[in-house]
Amino acid sequence: MRLPVLVALAALTLTACSKAPISAEPREDGGPPIDTEVMAYLSEARALHHQANLSEDARDIPGAIAPLERLVQAKKPHEGTKVPEVEEVLADTHARLAELRMRTSDVSGAEKDIRAGLVHAPEPTYFRGHLLEIEGVIDETRASALADAGKTVEAEQARARARDLLNQAVAVQEQVLSHTTGTDGGHR
Amino acid sequence: MTPKPPAPPPTPLPPDDPDAPPSEEEIAQSDALRRALEDPSLPNEAAELARAASLAHAPRPIDPAEHRRIVERALAGAQARAAPSRRRGGVLIRVSFGAGAALALAAGIALVVGSVGGEAPSSSAVSVVSPPLLRVRSTQPLFDQPFEGRSSGSSRIDRIAMARASDFRENEFSRWGAR
C-alpha cells in the first residue's frame, strides 16, 4: 500500500519538474552553440591562412593563393545553417584572394572572388565594406590600364565604377563605425 | 558631623608584564613541570600535553604485544556493536532498494505520461537541464580594437579563431558542469 503511494508522489514530482521554466540561454543570432565542428573549421581556416602567409612572405603568390582556394572549397560546419563565423571567414578569404590575384594581374579572377565574397557578407559589416573597397581598387587599376592603352572612354567608365564602389565602401564602413562607436560615423 | 567621603574607586589591576620577575607560584609550577618531564610517573597536565605533542610529531614504535592486544580489543568491541544492528541494517537496505525502484518506476510513468500528452521531447526540453552555452554569432565586435604590431593577411582569421576558441572552452566547461 505504501509503495504505490510513493510511486504516485514521485511521478507527480517528476511531471511537475518537466514543466519547469526553460533556463535562459544566450541565443544571439539563434544559431548553434560553438562546438567542435565550428572550431575544427576555424582551426583549418587559420592553418590555411598561415600557409598562405608563408608563401606570401616568400613572394610566392600562386603558392599563397592555393591554400586559400582550398579553404573556400572546404566542407563547412553545420551544413544548411548559416554560421556567421564561417560566412565572415569566407568573405575575408575571398577578399584576400582577390588582392593576391590582383598582384598577379588576374583582374577577372579577382572580380569573381569579390562577387563570391559579397554573397557571404550581405549585411553592412566591415567584411562587406572591405570587399567593396577592393572591388573599387580593381576598377581603379583597370581604369589606369585602359587609359594607358588609349581607351579613354572605357577608362572613364571604369573610373566611374571605381568611384561608385569606393563610395559604397565608405558608406558601409561609416555605418560600421557609427554602430561600434555610437556616433554618426565621423561626420563633422 | 561631616559626611564620610566616598571611597576611591578600586585601582585597576596592572596588565600582565611579560618582563616582570616570576612569582613564587610560577617558580613552583615550572619546577614541578621540570620534574614531571624527567619522571613520567609524576602527574602533571602540562608535562602530559608536552609529551603528547612530542609523540604526535615523532611517535615511538609500539610494543608488538601491546599492539596485538589493542587490535584484538578493538575488533571484539566492533563485533559486539555490530551484532544487535544487523537486523536494522537489513531493513535499511530493503527500504533503500524499495525507494530506488519506486523512483525508477515513477520516472518511467512520467515519461510515458509526457509522451502520451502529444509533446515529443524537443531540443528546448533538453535545454532545461543543459547549462547556458555560447552560440555562433557575428565576429564584427572583435574588430573594434586595432591590431597591435605588424598585421598579416591572417590577422583577422587569427583573432576570430582565438576568440571562438575561448568561447568553445567556456562551452566545454559548461557541459562538464565545471562553471
Side-chain angles (χ1 to χ4, degrees), chain A residues 32-42 77-78, chain B residues 134-136 164 167-168 171-172 175:
Chain A
I34 295 159
D35 56 10
T36 312
E37 232 183 303
V38 173
M39 287 316 298
Y41 181 84
L42 292 179
H78 300 286
Chain B
L134 294 162
R135 303 205 167 251
V136 294
R164 291 302 179 262
D167 289 355
F168 177 63
N171 282 355
E172 290 295 275
R175 285 192 185 102

Side-chain angles (χ1 to χ4, degrees), chain A residues 10-11 14 22-23 25-26 28-29 31-36 39 46 49-50 53 84-85 88 92 125-126 176 180, chain B residues 103 106-107 109 127 130 132-140 143-144 152-154 156-158 164-165 167-168 171:
Chain A
L14 287 168
I22 295 164
S23 61
E25 288 184 9
E28 202 173 339
D29 290 354
I34 295 159
D35 56 10
T36 312
M39 287 316 298
R46 194 179 181 203
H49 267 271
H50 275 268
N53 285 358
E85 286 87 342
E88 288 166 357
D92 199 54
T125 58
Y126 157 77
V176 173
T180 55
Chain B
L103 278 171
I109 291 170
S127 69
S130 64
L133 298 175
L134 294 162
R135 303 205 167 251
V136 294
R137 58 200 183 277
S138 173
T139 61
Q140 180 89 16
F143 302 101
D144 289 355
S152 64
S154 64
R156 286 185 291 277
I157 308 298
D158 288 341
R164 291 302 179 262
D167 289 355
F168 177 63
N171 282 355

Side-chain angles (χ1 to χ4, degrees), chain A residues 115-150:
Chain A
R115 280 196 292 275
L118 287 169
V119 171
H120 295 287
E123 302 296 324
T125 58
Y126 157 77
F127 300 100
R128 184 173 181 80
H130 184 47
L131 285 160
L132 291 168
E133 163 216 322
I134 297 168
E135 196 175 11
V137 173
I138 291 170
D139 269 321
E140 182 192 359
T141 308
R142 181 184 282 129
S144 295
L146 288 167
D148 288 348

Side-chain angles (χ1 to χ4, degrees), chain B residues 23 60 77 119 143:
Chain B
S23 64
R60 285 197 298 271
E119 285 181 29
F143 302 101

